[in-house]
Every structure is written in structure tokens, then in C-alpha cells.
């Protein structure tokens, strides 16, 4: 009998149930805020003022020295996507290599263990010195039109570096772990069948390591998200959700600070849900095997 | 054993027996939490704190140290009136933010951030001036400009835009500098292209904080900075940059002279509940300002001690700042110029939006306690 797992779920595990239960506390906070701050104070704006910002994401704040909420979010997500992708793109192959080769593992182990606990945010002064204000626009090949230059000029190499740092280690460690956890019986069988290295990678190593890699990516994404918001107060930054949040505090435009905090929370939740799905999908075959 | 019993008995006596004048004990006094940034614009406070009882005869007020740079007893006319706690709250919006949150009751900080908070509805008032001027343009050593005219020539002849850093979009230095560039018809902005699509000649870079200026200059991330003291003196003394201009001398000529910088601000609640203590505290500030003006040498020693800056940085920095202990006509006139400029820059979006300078002063300033305090001070100190 093949019963679909969804049919056996109780209501808290179904989407409407999840949404209802998950929104209870945020709604309570919003209600308390709405009831408690009816006229707004200099540091806590009214719920209405924040909602006004959220409902007009393309409006440029008049006195904030910051771009619109939508543009800020676009820049933040662009930096995140690039930095995180770089981290994953370097961590996965190196992780496979270290997982399969004792020599590579011995070479990488000390540097990885020394670097892994270093919070990327504390590297900001160092990377500022290393990269200055260089951006993707300054290293891009070929001419860029004005708006492309404007966008790429705000993706600074220093930021990408610390995002890479934040993403690399969790993905690298989980890839090494995933590769090492492959049963030797599978590898021996593949060898007996005369499989090539590429076949072993595609048919055995990758499927086995994928759930672990996905788990590492989920952790890495959480780290990158936190790191990025701190990195957006990097000298020379002129856009991004973190920048907007910081500038709004400086100019006492706290409705933008609160709006930015809400956006950060919602995007963080969305990203986590996406990566949770990815993790579940990558580990589906393992669940079926159990 | 007997010795131990005697010692224990003595200790119990010391703790338990009420002392004379317990009402004057610091714990029994009303408290006043004072926020400050800790840089040399606010040297009036540190000088007064360091001078101690020497202030009493000429000014009638003084601060008795409980814990250096942290806790003092404020004396006025021979009586202890309050226990003062100094809190380093940080610069920019941090001071008015701490005031609005009730973490401090009175604070020393920039006029611009205080007004932004008043605009946002914070129940605060500017109660006294502290200093004016003290902003400068410094460029990377090696670039050829030694005055404003030279800088303008450098910008106009440079094939690439010059990058000039600032710490805050509402910092005095940035506001004056950007208006002076407008005056010289130099295209500037944070992007490479001006709104009309033409390339800018000066790119302004938000360095987020004073502390980022030295590494940014050293590594050539920016070609120069506009900042308030002591940052320019620090850059020059470290041979990272060379002095170009005091921003008070930038065009339109004369407009920026005496531009207000730091002020003392207090919460409306403190002004209502602790008005007399605030008056006594303002006497201390006025006394400290007087000492700075009359005895620069000792002010420099204090500056170096409180800020940790090298003596030569302290000397240069203090020389460029004008300390003001009284809200005289010149200060009020300079404040009005500044308020008009902030209004025209769309800096006010709420309670102060569209108001005239006079109107803003009536809402955001309460100079009565200062004037009363000065009237009460001994004649020779006024």
C-alpha cells in the first residue's frame, strides 16, 4: 500500500495550519504595537507609518540619503546571490576533493579550522584595506551602460569576499562530511563494475553528499544573510537594506528602520523556507530508503 | 580571636552608625545622567570636571570627583545639588536617541541630529551652545592643493573624479562642502554620473564613521575627507593628509563662519522636573568654556587625557574649534543661517517641516535656563 505522506499529516503540518500557527506571534506583536503606539514617538513610529513605507517600496525617502526600499532590497539580494554563489561554487568542488583525497584534506584542514571560527564581520577592516572601494563594475570587462554601471558599482568586492567567507565554510564542511559518509560498499561495487571516476561522482558521491550539502547551504545562507546586513555599513556603501537601516537610525527616520527590519525578517523566513524545501528534496531518496 | 572580635565590631560600627550629613551623601542626592561623545568639541565638560574645586571661587559651581570621567557631585553655591553620571553615548544620532529613549536626561552632541529628533517628535530642547566651526577639508598627501581655490583647480583639471569621504549625510562638514561645490558649479554626487547623465567631478563617499577616515585615506580609498575635528588634525599629524581649508571659509564667503556644531540638549521631562539642576549644570558648562578660552594650555592637557589623542593633535584640533559658552547674538544669527539651510535641504519632514528659522527656534530651543544660570553666576565670570 502506497500512502502519500501528505495524507497522514495532522493539521499543524499542513500549509494552512503552518501559516496560522506561525503568524500568531507576529500578529500579536503587531497588535500590541498598533495598540501601544497610537501617536508614534521619536524612536518608535506608528504601525501606520511603517506600513506606508512598506506599501510604497519604490518611493525614494525624501531625507534619508538612501535609495528606495525596492532598490535597496534588490541590491542586497544581488550581493547575497553573488557572494553566496561564489561560496558554494568554490566550497563544493574543494569539499569533494578534500573528502576523497587524504593529501588535500591534510593540506586544507589547518587553514580551514583556523579560518572557520573567524566571524566574517570582523574581517571588514582588513578587506577594506585589501579591496578598497573596488566593485564588480571596476573589474568588469567591456563598457557598461549607465544604469548597469550604477548597479554593479554598488556590488563591492570587499562585500563579496566576506559573503564568500560566510558561505564557504559551512558548505565545505558539510560537503566533506557528505562525501565521507558514502558507504565504501557502494564505491567498491562501482569499482568492480568498472565505473569511471565521473560515473562514481555522478551516480554515488553526488547523490549521497547532496542532503549534507543542502544542509550546509541552508546554514551558510543564514550566516550570509546576517553577514551581509552588517557588511552594508561598509565604508562607501550607498544602498542596501542594511545601509537603509543604519542611515535611518542616523537621521531618526525610524519608520524606515522598522520597515527594513520587517523586510529583513520576511526575506530571511522566505530564504529559510526555500532552503528547507531544497534540503528535503535533496534528502528525499534517503527518506525513501529508510 | 580577641583582635578579630574588635575588628569585626569596628566594621559593624562603621557600617551601621549613621554619619553626619547623610543627606549630602552622593547616594541621597538627585541624579542627572549626562550623555556625551567624548571628543574635544565637548571639552568644556571635561575641563570643568578636571578643574574640580578650583572653579568654585570664580564661578560658584564645581564638580567633585566620585569616579573619574564617570561620576561627580555637582556643587552650586557651596551646596551639593546632584550626582552627575557621565555616559559616553557616541556621536551623531546616538545622543538624541539616548535622550529620546530616556537613557540620559541631558546630552552634549551635534545640533543637526538633535533637530532631526525634534522634527521626528522627540520631546527635546536645545538648551545651550557648546562650540562652532572646527570642520575641515583634508586631502591625500601628494595631491597638490593647499587652499580652497587650489582644490577647485585640482578638481577641474583632474581627468578622473576625486573621491571625498564624509562620515554622515547630515554632518556639518558634508552639508557645507556639498553647498560649496554647488557654488563653484562642480558636479558632485555619490554616483559616477550626475542626474543629468554627465560624469561627476567629485564623488562623495559615505565612510560611515570618523574612525574609517584614516585607513581610507592611507589606502587611497578616498582622495580626501571633510570632517569635524579632531579627525582632520589626526590625519595631518599622521602625515596621511594635508590641510586644505577650514570649511567655515568656503563659499558663499562668510556664510559658514560661526556655523553651530555641538550643543547641549535636554529632555522636556528633565527640563520640567530637574530645571534647577540643569541650570547648575549649564553653569558648569559655561565655566568650562570660559576656562578653555582663557587657559588653552590646560584645556589641551585635559583634551589629551580624556580623548587619548597625542598632544600635537590636541593642539591643532582645539585651535580650530571655537568654544561658545553663551547664546549670544552672533551664535543665534549663525543658528538661523543653519536652520534655513537645513530646511531648504529637506532635512525636516515632520514637525519642523516648512517652518522659518525663528519658528524652529521657538519649538526646538529653550535658552531660558542658560540665561537664568548665567545671571545667577558671580559677576566676574559672566
Amino acid at each position: 500500500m502506497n500512502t502519500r505522506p501528505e495524507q497522514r499529516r495532522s493539521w499543524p503540518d499542513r500549509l494552512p495550519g503552518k501559516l496560522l500557527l506561525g503568524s500568531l506571534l507576529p500578529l500579536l506583536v503587531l497588535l500590541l504595537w498598533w495598540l501601544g503606539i497610537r501617536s508614534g514617538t521619536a524612536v518608535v513610529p506608528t504601525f501606520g507609518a511603517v506600513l506606508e513605507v512598506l506599501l510604497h517600496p519604490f518611493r525614494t525617502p525624501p531625507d534619508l540619503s538612501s535609495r528606495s526600499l525596492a532598490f535597496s532590497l534588490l541590491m542586497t539580494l544581488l550581493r547575497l546571490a553573488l557572494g553566496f554563489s561564489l561560496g558554494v561554487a568554490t566550497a563544493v568542488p574543494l569539499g569533494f576533493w578534500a573528502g576523497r583525497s587524504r593529501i588535500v584534506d591534510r593540506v586544507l584542514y589547518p587553514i580551514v579550522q583556523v579560518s572557520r571560527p573567524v566571524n566574517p564581520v570582523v574581517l571588514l577592516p582588513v578587506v577594506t584595506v585589501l579591496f578598497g572601494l573596488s566593485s564588480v563594475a571596476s573589474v568588469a570587462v567591456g563598457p557598461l551602460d549607465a544604469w548597469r554601471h550604477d548597479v554593479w558599482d554598488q556590488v563591492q568586492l570587499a562585500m563579496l569576499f566576506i559573503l564568500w567567507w560566510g558561505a564557504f565554510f559551512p558548505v565545505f564542511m558539510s560537503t566533506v562530511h557528505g562525501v565521507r559518509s558514502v558507504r565504501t560498499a557502494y564505491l567498491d561495487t562501482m569499482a568492480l563494475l568498472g565505473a569511471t571516476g565521473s560515473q562514481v561522482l555522478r551516480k554515488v558521491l553526488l547523490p549521497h553528499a547532496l542532503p549534507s550539502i543542502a544542509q550546509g547551504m541552508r546554514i551558510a545562507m543564514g550566516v550570509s544573510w546576517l553577514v551581509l546586513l552588517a557588511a552594508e555599513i561598509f565604508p562607501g556603501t550607498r544602498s542596501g537594506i542594511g545601509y537603509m537601516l543604519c542611515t535611518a537610525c542616523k537621521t531618526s527616520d525610524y519608520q524606515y528602520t522598522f520597515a527594513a527590519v520587517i523586510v529583513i525578517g520576511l526575506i530571511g523566513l522566505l530564504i529559510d523556507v526555500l532552503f528547507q524545501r531544497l534540503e528535503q528534496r535533496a534528502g528525499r531518496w534517503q527518506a525513501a530508503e529508510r | 580571636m580577641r583582635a578579630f572580635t574588635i575588628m569585626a565590631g569596628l566594621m559593624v560600627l562603621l557600617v551601621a552608625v549613621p554619619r553626619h550629613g547623610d543627606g549630602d551623601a552622593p547616594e541621597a542626592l538627585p541624579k542627572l545622567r549626562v550623555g556625551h561623545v567624548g571628543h574635544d568639541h565637548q571639552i568644556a565638560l571635561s575641563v570643568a570636571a578636571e578643574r574640580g574645586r578650583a572653579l568654585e571661587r570664580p564661578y560658584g559651581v564645581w564638580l567633585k570627583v566620585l569616579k573619574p570621567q564617570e561620576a561627580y557631585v555637582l556643587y552650586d553655591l557651596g551646596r551639593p545639588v546632584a550626582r552627575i553620571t557621565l555616559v559616553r553615548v557616541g556621536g551623531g544620532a546616538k545622543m538624541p536617541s539616548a535622550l529620546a529613549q530616556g537613557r540620559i536626561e541631558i546630552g552634549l552632541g551635534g545640533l543637526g541630529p538633535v533637530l532631526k529628533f525634534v522634527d521626528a517628535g522627540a520631546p527635546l530642547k536645545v538648551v545651550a551652545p557648546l562650540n562652532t566651526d572646527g570642520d575641515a577639508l583634508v586631502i591625500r598627501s601628494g595631491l597638490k592643493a593647499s587652499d580652497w581655490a587650489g582644490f577647485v583647480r585640482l578638481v577641474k583639471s583632474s581627468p578622473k573624479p576625486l573621491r571625498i569621504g564624509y562620515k554622515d549625510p547630515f554632518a556639518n562638514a558634508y552639508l557645507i562642502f556639498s553647498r560649496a561645490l554647488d557654488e563653484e558649479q562642480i558636479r558632485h554626487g555619490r554616483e559616477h554620473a550626475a542626474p543629468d547623465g554627465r560624469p561627476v567631478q567629485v564623488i562623495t563617499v559615505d565612510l560611515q564613521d570618523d574612525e574609517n577616515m584614516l585607513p581610507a585615506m592611507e589606502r587611497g580609498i578616498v582622495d580626501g575627507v571633510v570632517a569635524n575635528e579632531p579627525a582632520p588634525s589626526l590625519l595631518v599629524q599622521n602625515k596621511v593628509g594635508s590641510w586644505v581649508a577650514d570649511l567655515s571659509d568656503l563659499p558663499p564667503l562668510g556664510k559658514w563662519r560661526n556655523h553651530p556644531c555641538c550643543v547641549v540638549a535636554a529632555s522636556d521631562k528633565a527640563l520640567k522636573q530637574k530645571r534647577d539642576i540643569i541650570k547648575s549644570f549649564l553653569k558648569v558648562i559655561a565655566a568650562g568654556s570660559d576656562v578653555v578660552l582663557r587657559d588653552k594650555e590646560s584645556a589641551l592637557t585635559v583634551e589629551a587625557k580624556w580623548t587619548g589623542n597625542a598632544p600635537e593633535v590636541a593642539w591643532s584640533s582645539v585651535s580650530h574649534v571655537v568654544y561658545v559658552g553663551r547664546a549670544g547674538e552672533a551664535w543665534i544669527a549663525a543658528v538661523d543661517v543653519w536652520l534655513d539651510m537645513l530646511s531648504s535641504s529637506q532635512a525636516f519632514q515632520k514637525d519642523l517641516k516648512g517652518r522659518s528659522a525663528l519658528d524652529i527656534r521657538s519649538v526646538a530651543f529653550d535658552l531660558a535656563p542658560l540665561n537664568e544660570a548665567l545671571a545667577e553666576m558671580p559677576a566676574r565670570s559672566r
Side-chain angles (χ1 to χ4, degrees):
Chain A
M1 208 168 84
N2 186 16
T3 314
R4 285 166 65 90
E6 286 80 3
Q7 288 170 335
R8 278 187 267 125
R9 282 184 189 166
S10 56
W11 74 269
D13 295 327
R14 291 186 201 136
L15 186 64
K18 278 184 190 171
L19 285 176
L20 181 73
L21 291 173
S23 51
L24 274 180
L25 281 177
L27 284 176
L28 182 69
V29 171
L30 290 182
L31 184 71
L32 288 175
W33 178 11
W34 185 64
L35 290 174
I37 312 286
R38 300 305 290 264
S39 58
T41 70
V43 281
V44 185
T46 59
F47 177 63
V50 178
L51 196 63
E52 176 80 5
V53 175
L54 291 170
L55 292 176
H56 298 92
F58 297 100
R59 191 188 285 166
T60 303
D63 60 336
L64 197 55
S65 188
S66 168
R67 307 283 277 266
S68 68
L69 183 66
F71 185 82
S72 301
L73 182 60
L74 171 78
M75 290 313 306
T76 298
L77 292 177
L78 184 62
R79 289 169 186 142
L80 182 73
L82 271 175
F84 179 75
S85 304
L86 275 175
V88 173
T90 47
V92 171
L94 269 176
F96 267 95
W97 202 11
R100 295 288 292 151
S101 161
R102 279 269 167 241
I103 296 170
V104 176
D105 184 47
R106 290 278 183 270
V107 170
L108 291 179
Y109 179 81
I111 186 81
V112 167
Q113 293 305 329
V114 166
S115 313
R116 197 165 62 99
V118 177
N119 185 332
V121 177
V122 304
L123 292 173
L124 264 177
V126 181
V127 294
T128 308
V129 169
L130 283 177
F131 294 101
L133 294 181
S134 305
S135 63
V136 173
S138 58
V139 294
V141 180
L144 293 170
D145 52 35
W147 77 267
R148 279 201 181 89
H149 188 278
D150 180 29
V151 169
W152 289 117
D153 191 44
Q154 298 186 54
V155 183
Q156 288 155 311
L157 298 183
M159 266 183 208
L160 290 184
F161 179 81
I162 69 154
L163 278 170
W164 170 84
W165 189 284
F168 178 84
F169 295 104
V171 179
F172 175 80
M173 298 301 286
S174 58
T175 307
V176 172
H177 171 76
V179 171
R180 289 213 183 121
S181 61
V182 176
R183 289 182 194 166
T184 45
Y186 293 161
L187 296 171
D188 292 345
T189 309
M190 289 295 280
L192 277 173
L193 292 170
T196 62
S198 149
Q199 282 171 326
V200 172
L201 179 72
R202 279 186 293 114
K203 302 283 184 189
V204 180
L205 290 177
L206 198 58
H208 271 84
L210 213 51
S212 181
I213 295 173
Q215 199 177 25
M217 282 169 68
R218 190 177 164 197
I219 296 167
M221 182 47 93
V223 175
S224 302
W225 187 233
L226 284 176
V227 165
L228 176 58
L229 296 169
E232 283 183 338
I233 52 171
F234 168 83
T237 310
R238 53 185 196 275
S239 65
I241 289 289
Y243 180 76
M244 177 179 251
L245 194 151
C246 178
T247 314
C249 284
K250 282 183 182 174
T251 57
S252 77
D253 286 301
Y254 284 98
Q255 68 274 29
Y256 290 99
T257 308
F258 277 66
V261 168
I262 290 172
V263 169
I264 287 166
L266 288 175
I267 298 293
L269 174 72
L270 197 68
I271 288 173
D272 191 66
V273 168
L274 283 173
F275 275 80
Q276 202 177 5
R277 286 281 162 90
L278 179 78
E279 204 181 323
Q280 280 168 356
R281 194 171 273 258
R284 193 176 277 173
W285 70 270
Q286 277 186 329
E289 196 181 53
R290 277 185 219 119
Chain B
M1 184 66 194
R2 223 167 90 187
F4 175 76
T5 314
I6 291 168
M7 284 289 286
L10 276 172
M11 284 181 77
V12 168
L13 274 173
L14 272 172
V15 173
V17 174
R19 282 158 287 165
H20 283 293
D22 245 9
D24 292 352
E27 299 75 33
L29 291 169
K31 293 177 176 61
L32 187 70
R33 291 188 307 278
V34 180
H36 68 118
V37 182
H39 63 49
D40 56 15
H41 291 206
Q42 302 171 4
I43 203 169
L45 173 64
S46 43
V47 163
E50 289 290 321
R51 278 275 166 134
R53 199 155 197 170
L55 284 186
E56 191 174 23
R57 269 190 64 193
Y59 301 102
V61 283
W62 67 286
L63 293 172
K64 180 182 172 184
V65 187
L66 293 177
K67 193 175 177 193
Q69 302 190 16
E70 274 182 39
Y72 296 85
V73 176
L74 168 59
Y75 280 80
D76 192 354
L77 299 173
R79 281 187 319 105
V81 291
R83 183 192 159 107
I84 304 283
T85 307
L86 300 185
V87 186
R88 272 191 196 235
V89 284
K94 288 174 193 154
M95 190 283 281
S97 173
L99 263 180
Q101 291 161 12
R103 287 193 286 126
I104 54 171
E105 294 156 294
I106 190 163
L108 287 67
L111 174 65
V114 170
L115 292 174
K116 285 290 290 177
F117 269 75
V118 175
D119 179 48
L124 317 173
K125 295 275 187 296
V126 174
V127 292
L130 265 181
N131 77 293
T132 65
D133 305 274
D135 295 290
L137 166 64
V138 172
I139 58 169
R140 214 152 33 85
S141 302
L143 289 175
K144 298 220 174 340
S146 55
D147 56 14
W148 177 250
F151 177 76
V152 171
R153 277 196 302 277
L154 177 71
V155 168
K156 290 187 173 171
S157 62
S158 173
K160 285 203 313 188
L162 257 65
R163 290 177 184 264
I164 303 293
Y166 60 95
K167 70 164 181 182
D168 186 321
F170 281 97
N172 286 0
Y174 176 71
L175 291 170
I176 295 175
F177 179 67
S178 51
R179 270 143 199 83
L181 291 178
D182 288 339
E183 204 63 26
E184 300 285 359
Q185 296 179 331
I186 291 173
R187 292 185 305 280
H188 63 95
R190 301 191 309 159
E191 323 292 340
H192 287 261
D196 62 3
R198 296 166 71 196
V200 296
Q201 294 162 292
V202 171
I203 297 177
T204 48
V205 180
D206 188 348
L207 292 174
Q208 308 278 354
D209 210 331
D210 282 340
E211 288 157 11
N212 294 325
M213 289 182 173
L214 201 136
M217 286 273 281
E218 206 164 32
R219 299 297 304 169
I221 291 169
V222 288
D223 300 306
V225 296
V226 281
N228 58 273
E229 291 289 4
S233 294
L234 203 66
L235 294 169
V236 174
Q237 294 299 330
N238 280 294
K239 302 194 184 343
V240 174
S242 58
W243 187 275
V244 174
D246 186 324
L247 299 190
S248 299
D249 299 330
L250 261 48
L253 214 59
K255 185 174 183 178
W256 311 120
R257 188 137 300 282
N258 299 324
H259 67 268
C261 184
C262 285
V263 292
V264 186
S267 67
D268 286 355
K269 192 178 165 189
L271 275 169
K272 200 173 166 188
Q273 294 175 352
K274 299 182 179 177
R275 192 180 171 89
D276 285 339
I277 299 174
I278 288 176
K279 273 166 56 178
S280 298
F281 180 75
L282 294 178
K283 288 179 192 174
V284 168
I285 295 294
S289 300
D290 251 23
V291 174
V292 177
L293 293 173
R294 289 177 190 185
D295 182 3
K296 203 166 247 183
E297 285 293 334
S298 76
L300 293 172
T301 315
V302 170
E303 202 269 350
K305 184 176 171 185
W306 278 56
T307 62
N309 286 334
E312 57 274 23
V313 174
W315 175 259
S316 165
S317 175
V318 171
S319 306
H320 292 120
V321 177
V322 178
Y323 296 94
V324 187
R326 285 119 180 90
E329 278 177 24
W331 185 75
I332 300 273
V335 164
D336 284 352
V337 169
W338 200 250
L339 294 179
D340 283 337
M341 192 270 290
L342 286 173
S343 280
S344 64
S345 316
Q346 316 292 320
F348 304 131
Q349 290 295 318
K350 294 165 196 156
D351 292 2
L352 303 182
K353 189 176 180 178
R355 290 186 182 224
S356 67
L358 189 69
D359 212 8
I360 292 172
R361 269 202 286 119
S362 70
V363 174
F365 287 63
D366 183 0
L367 301 172
L370 174 68
N371 294 331
E372 288 165 25
L374 292 172
E376 285 171 19
M377 285 176 87
R380 59 175 286 200
S381 67
R382 265 181 262 149

